[in-house]
Amino acid sequence: MDDDDVAVLFTMEDSSKVFAIGNIEQVAVADGTVDARRATGSSSAEYLRQLSMSQRSNGVFINDPKGLFILRWYREVKGDGTPPDGPRYQNRACKYYKLTSDNDGEAFRWTSNYQIISKVYLKKHSTLPLCYSLSAADKKMVTSTMKKMVGPEAE
């Protein structure tokens, strides 16, 4: 799977758990076993970068335990398309997700399937460029699945 949108689990510096929405840009399969603990830990980007892998132009399933993904992140934005004040993720003022050309200021790096919460379907906004909405049903499903992954601390 590539060019699909997915919700991805992150552990923030304060140990809180959040999800971000990303668009799959590139996929690969690790040549060996991927250690789930290292693939989701604080130094996961370095660990995943060092893995031997094979790029796959025909896609990778998000539940493949050897699946690796490069994602372009959506930025949470208010109803007018501007970033909200306050938390970067799960901001109550977020109405849409904007696909940015600069990857929302983040470096492009490999993400493992162990961080993928689920595939999501975004609906294009009729007037705001590159802005999309996440349905209430998908948001509820992402939050519910995230809670099962990390426990009740996910809100």
Side-chain angles (χ1 to χ4, degrees), residues 79-147:
D80 63 2
T82 61
D85 294 328
R88 184 173 182 176
Y89 302 105
Q90 279 75 85
N91 190 307
R92 294 191 186 280
C94 172
K95 299 295 180 210
Y96 302 105
Y97 295 87
K98 184 173 186 172
L99 190 59
T100 63
S101 60
D102 69 350
N103 201 36
D104 198 20
E106 296 293 328
F108 286 96
R109 60 182 136 233
W110 291 104
T111 301
S112 79
N113 81 302
Y114 294 107
Q115 289 177 266
I116 306 275
I117 298 170
S118 67
K119 184 174 177 176
V120 294
Y121 299 93
L122 300 175
K123 181 179 177 187
K124 187 169 179 52
H125 190 280
S126 61
T127 59
L128 291 173
L130 299 174
C131 287
Y132 303 82
S133 60
L134 179 65
S135 72
D138 267 7
K139 186 171 184 178
K140 182 177 179 180
M141 180 264 308
V142 166
T143 303
S144 171
T145 304
M146 187 171 136
K147 284 180 181 178

Side-chain angles (χ1 to χ4, degrees), residues 38 44 51 56 63 66 72 79 94 110:
R38 293 181 69 196
S44 63
L51 290 177
R56 298 288 170 95
N63 61 350
K66 294 183 179 184
R72 185 158 50 128
C94 172
W110 291 104

Side-chain angles (χ1 to χ4, degrees), residues 38-39 41-50 109-110 115:
R38 293 181 69 196
S42 60
S43 57
S44 63
E46 181 66 19
Y47 167 70
L48 295 172
R49 187 181 63 76
Q50 293 178 8
R109 60 182 136 233
W110 291 104
Q115 289 177 266

